[in-house]
Amino acid sequence: MKQLITCIFLCTIFLVACNSTDKDDAAGKDLVKIVTKPFSDSLKADTFKVQILGDKPDNMHLAFSITSFSGKQIYDVDIKATDLFKNYIATIDLSKKKNQIKFLQEEVNRFFDDENFMEPAVDEADLPDANVPDKAFFDELKKNRLNGFIYRLGKESKNYVAWSDKEGKVKTYYTCCTK
């Protein structure tokens, strides 16, 4: 019995040692967030997914995609980690790898906060301004009342996207605060 306990103990230590990795290198790589919300249809839910890809902060990126209720990928964008870091360097200490990984994890964890889902994307009373890249699409959203989604490209930069029934694709309907 004593030998069995010793064997189990050694096997456990071996398994823990084999499965441990450098936390700085692997901390955020497997972080994936998925939510379902109506987007390309007012009733049927599409799947929103964001994850950290890459093995080091210098080549990591946030991969954001939307898959329609029918299973077709309708939006896909990569946001480079280095671009995000540049926007926050003055306010957050991102000089260390572990701080960069933590920052990316926080970005993913906040990506699908409720305030990022606009229901509807555009209200009837909203008027287009200089931040509206396509006024016809803005008017389309006023009429069809589909939902929108906002994601950050930096500290002061946000991209607002929604589904265009007319063009059959996700389009930007508002961009804010870019430099």
Side-chain angles (χ1 to χ4, degrees), residues 114-160:
D114 285 339
E115 66 259 12
N116 294 336
F117 291 92
M118 304 298 293
E119 298 176 8
V122 178
D123 286 321
E124 291 176 13
D126 290 344
L127 298 173
D129 61 23
N131 296 314
V132 173
D134 183 341
K135 294 188 183 4
F137 179 47
F138 191 87
D139 288 338
E140 177 188 341
L141 290 172
K142 270 184 161 182
K143 291 174 188 165
N144 70 19
R145 313 268 305 150
L146 288 176
N147 296 334
F149 180 73
I150 305 168
Y151 62 93
R152 295 184 335 164
L153 297 170
K155 185 176 180 182
E156 299 293 330
S157 179
K158 294 180 181 179
N159 198 36
Y160 295 62

Side-chain angles (χ1 to χ4, degrees), residues 82-136:
T82 54
D83 290 345
L84 289 172
F85 299 154
K86 288 177 197 172
N87 288 292
Y88 290 91
I89 206 85
T91 56
I92 301 173
D93 178 14
L94 294 172
S95 61
K96 295 181 179 145
K97 192 175 183 180
K98 70 178 182 177
N99 292 352
Q100 293 171 349
I101 301 269
K102 182 179 178 194
F103 171 79
L104 291 175
Q105 289 172 325
E106 290 170 358
E107 285 295 300
V108 167
N109 285 327
R110 287 192 306 251
F111 207 83
F112 297 132
D113 284 351
D114 285 339
E115 66 259 12
N116 294 336
F117 291 92
M118 304 298 293
E119 298 176 8
V122 178
D123 286 321
E124 291 176 13
D126 290 344
L127 298 173
D129 61 23
N131 296 314
V132 173
D134 183 341
K135 294 188 183 4

